[in-house]
Amino acid sequence: MALDRKLKQSRSHCLFVLLLVVLPATVFPNCLAAQERVQVTIDPAKTGAKIDRNLFGQFAEHLGQGIYEGIWVGPDSKIPNTRGIRNDVVAALKALRVPNVRWPGGCFADEYHWRNGIGSPRTITLNPNWGGVIEPNTFGTHEFMDFMDQIGAEAYLSVNVGSGTPREAAEWLEYLTTAQPTTLAKERAANGHPAPYKIPYLGIGNESWDCGGNMTPEYYLSQLKIYSRFVRNYNPEQQSQQQMLKIAVGPGGGEARWSEWTEAIMKAWQNHQWSWDMNGLSMHNYTVVRWPPAFKSVGFGETEYSQILKSTLDMEGLISKHSAIMDKYDPQKKIALVVDEWGAWYAQLPGSHPGFLLQQNSMRDAILAALNINMFARHGDRVRMANIAQMINVLQAMILTDKEKMVLTPTYHVFKMYVPFQDATFVPVTFNAGTYTHGDITLPRIDAIAAKDSAGKLWLEITNVDPNQPVEIEVAGTNAKSAQGQTLTAPNVDSVNTFDQPTTVSPRPASVKISDGKLSLRLEPKSVTVISVE
Ligand code: AHR
């Protein structure tokens, strides 16, 4: 009570001073500091599930300038490249330690015919899903695998179930993976890659309930069984170890039809025969508020900030809902829930090509990314893979390019700050999140996760959702001797990085203090902070 009264007094004192006096900048933070003090308790002795590095997966579809221009410029381009793949983008992505990339779609995957993208000359086709533009197929199987090599990521291929055949998909996998001297292996060698490729993840269809062919769960299940049986990985190194994981199409939301879909697939799996199997169930969930996407990606205010963040927290309910269904049929959690399309989907930028899904990426997206990653990590026993949509120039991208120019988005910086959490072990954190209210929207003010990396180092992430007030944090339970880290914040909720001003939203050292063994830090308004504690 006494503390409460003191805080109230301090608050009214600050307000009084602020209203009536022009204060030196150094005094102002102290007033705000007195307003908020949150204790975050970490219990490093208790550990949870692994935060699978695959939660930081990416998605790169043949859509807009995601592949062509974003990744592929061709070997003859003036833009510095290695075998046609831009060097600046590769360097930026390497720093993210991208674990896997889902390719070639999305809706595109169910119209993709892999033979169009090998050999020479390439077959020129169309991309009817995304603007009806020409698909030159110059970025095909070998270019994608080269891209994986260059950035150090693993391939997550989506095979065409909608308009392809099991034979086409089976031959693609034979072409990619066999070490035997088959005709397809010789063709692969003639196209420059004698050694078999590794394909650790295989998606069987994409949104088969919608753009992937509008299938019923029963119809999809019969396809799943056939593709699961015949689309084999022959790579000798993937037989006993690192076997290819097969990911079935799962739900796309929280409505009854999605629960029925999850039920149907999981029930069938529970009773499956030896001749088919799956290892993951995909889930897609975009932060959009309502379709068609109308929220602006730049030039918005606090109302849209709070609405979008409220909407993104629906991910929690969706994961819980579908995990509960999965638990019924798979209590041992053998099947991973793979959130292989997530992120913010806004109105495309005015003047951009229709169907290219080009949007800016702001401080709001950085907060959104952190909140989602934290939700995945908390459900790490079931959610073992996720792919943000999409990697470059499309939706909630890491990177934007314009010809030779490249800019890293706020979402990129969040992914980079979270690198230490890849394959780290979840450590429980308890805190009173408090609330942030704007209009009729109330959100948890702060969010946090902690983890221990393989060297035993403790990492803590804290997000301050409140765009107006800093939060002073006291961390208990760590016995900290030293701590350091980075914080990402920006002047406004809609601050973005542009080609001309690429560092408006970029990380800077976090304000961490240790005194008398007590660790404290100050969270700036609308900020994402990651610190290591030793
Ligand atoms: O990411 C854009 C599109 O969204 C994907 O192609 C599709 O799977 C989803 O509907």
Side-chain angles (χ1 to χ4, degrees):
M1 279 302 279
L3 180 67
D4 215 8
R5 210 175 306 130
K6 214 171 155 196
L7 278 174
K8 273 185 199 149
Q9 278 167 1
S10 153
R11 236 175 247 154
S12 41
H13 174 71
C14 288
L15 199 63
F16 176 77
V17 174
L18 278 171
L19 287 174
L20 298 181
V21 186
V22 181
L23 284 173
T26 46
V27 176
F28 180 40
N30 291 337
C31 286
L32 290 175
Q35 292 180 356
E36 299 299 336
R37 226 161 242 286
V38 177
Q39 173 145 324
V40 167
T41 306
I42 306 181
D43 193 346
K46 287 194 193 133
T47 48
K50 183 171 87 167
I51 301 175
D52 201 307
R53 62 196 290 267
N54 280 321
L55 292 181
F56 301 88
Q58 305 271 335
F59 172 36
E61 180 168 16
H62 287 240
L63 193 178
Q65 294 179 319
I67 301 285
Y68 298 108
E69 165 141 0
I71 297 169
W72 179 258
V73 287
D76 301 330
S77 171
K78 286 198 187 99
I79 300 172
N81 68 83
T82 302
R83 295 179 294 280
I85 295 167
R86 37 192 313 167
N87 294 344
D88 53 355
V89 163
V90 166
L93 292 173
K94 269 169 97 167
L96 291 189
R97 299 220 216 132
V98 177
N100 74 81
V101 181
R102 180 170 179 254
W103 177 83
C107 299
F108 180 83
D110 278 303
E111 292 191 80
Y112 184 61
H113 300 286
W114 68 274
R115 294 207 70 97
N116 293 335
I118 57 163
S120 176
R122 299 288 165 93
T123 307
I124 297 169
T125 56
L126 292 170
N127 190 337
N129 279 295
W130 305 116
V133 295
I134 290 282
E135 167 55 57
N137 283 301
T138 41
F139 188 88
T141 298
H142 290 270
E143 292 75 19
F144 172 67
M145 295 308 293
D146 188 15
F147 177 50
M148 292 302 90
D149 266 4
Q150 290 191 36
I151 65 170
E154 292 187 312
Y156 174 11
L157 288 191
S158 261
V159 292
N160 180 345
V161 172
S163 69
T165 61
R167 177 179 174 175
E168 183 188 11
E171 288 180 352
W172 195 14
L173 266 287
E174 184 193 321
Y175 177 87
L176 280 156
T177 62
T178 186
Q180 309 254 49
T182 68
T183 303
L184 282 168
K186 287 179 188 165
E187 194 179 359
R188 182 187 72 226
N191 286 331
H193 208 275
Y197 287 112
K198 271 196 180 169
I199 305 296
Y201 311 102
L202 187 83
I204 300 180
N206 169 75
E207 299 192 354
S208 303
W209 29 260
D210 190 12
C211 73
N214 235 304
M215 301 171 190
T216 60
E218 294 71 32
Y219 186 87
Y220 174 72
L221 258 173
S222 63
Q223 300 295 304
L224 173 65
K225 291 175 184 173
I226 293 168
Y227 277 76
S228 163
R229 168 93 183 105
F230 297 114
V231 185
R232 296 182 167 100
N233 186 316
Y234 297 97
N235 189 318
E237 289 176 27
Q238 291 191 264
Q239 299 314 302
S240 48
Q241 289 182 332
Q242 219 198 352
Q243 290 186 5
M244 181 173 76
L245 303 184
K246 296 174 183 175
I247 295 151
V249 169
E255 297 112 68
R257 66 177 177 128
W258 305 123
S259 301
E260 285 158 22
W261 184 283
T262 302
E263 283 272 353
I265 310 290
M266 290 303 298
K267 193 170 180 188
W269 175 81
Q270 189 188 36
N271 303 311
H272 80 99
Q273 287 162 343
W274 68 269
S275 51
W276 76 279
D277 202 354
M278 63 185 221
N279 314 90
L281 184 73
S282 102
M283 182 172 96
H284 290 183
N285 178 44
Y286 286 96
T287 301
V288 62
V289 181
R290 68 189 82 86
W291 297 96
F295 275 67
K296 290 198 277 180
S297 58
V298 66
F300 57 85
E302 195 173 338
T303 300
E304 295 84 354
Y305 171 81
S306 54
Q307 285 171 337
I308 285 289
L309 294 184
K310 177 174 190 289
S311 169
T312 214
L313 293 175
D314 291 348
M315 181 68 89
E316 177 66 39
L318 276 186
I319 293 175
S320 299
K321 180 179 231 167
H322 292 286
S323 296
I325 300 172
M326 294 174 84
D327 285 349
K328 272 204 301 188
Y329 301 104
D330 173 28
Q332 291 174 297
K333 302 189 194 293
K334 289 186 178 162
I335 306 291
L337 185 60
V338 175
V339 190
D340 56 11
E341 287 189 29
W342 69 273
W345 191 324
Y346 304 126
Q348 60 179 65
L349 285 176
S352 63
H353 194 293
F356 276 20
L357 311 188
L358 177 63
Q359 64 191 41
Q360 246 298 2
N361 194 296
S362 66
M363 189 61 221
R364 177 178 64 186
D365 297 301
I367 303 276
L368 183 153
L371 293 176
N372 278 277
I373 294 168
N374 292 0
M375 288 187 269
F376 301 150
R378 280 193 279 265
H379 288 275
D381 55 347
R382 179 66 82 181
V383 182
R384 300 196 285 270
M385 186 153 160
N387 300 72
I388 190 166
Q390 298 195 7
M391 195 178 227
I392 304 163
N393 292 333
V394 177
L395 301 176
Q396 190 173 346
M398 303 289 120
I399 294 173
L400 299 175
T401 65
D402 181 14
K403 301 187 185 67
E404 75 290 351
K405 293 185 248 174
M406 179 189 87
V407 67
L408 306 177
T409 66
T411 301
Y412 174 94
H413 292 303
V414 170
F415 269 65
K416 182 131 182 263
M417 289 163 68
Y418 270 83
V419 163
F421 287 86
Q422 291 194 15
D423 279 347
T425 306
F426 187 85
V427 171
V429 188
T430 46
F431 56 93
N432 178 354
T435 55
Y436 150 65
T437 299
H438 180 76
D440 57 356
I441 291 187
T442 294
L443 302 171
R445 170 169 288 179
I446 62 162
D447 189 31
I449 61 163
K452 241 189 223 172
D453 69 17
S454 56
K457 196 190 262 190
L458 187 65
W459 294 86
L460 172 67
E461 187 286 331
I462 315 192
T463 303
N464 181 8
V465 172
D466 192 324
N468 306 310
Q469 297 296 329
V471 181
E472 296 289 336
I473 299 282
E474 265 176 26
V475 184
T478 65
N479 213 0
K481 294 197 176 46
S482 73
Q484 56 201 342
Q486 289 189 312
T487 195
L488 186 74
T489 185
N492 304 305
V493 286
D494 71 335
S495 293
V496 297
N497 292 336
T498 63
F499 298 112
D500 298 330
Q501 291 184 307
T503 56
T504 306
V505 192
S506 49
R508 55 177 198 247
S511 137
V512 196
K513 268 193 294 187
I514 298 185
S515 91
D516 299 335
K518 279 208 180 120
L519 170 61
S520 61
L521 63 147
R522 176 191 168 85
L523 304 178
E524 296 300 325
K526 51 177 161 7
S527 63
V528 176
T529 302
V530 172
I531 60 164
S532 64
V533 184
E534 282 172 295

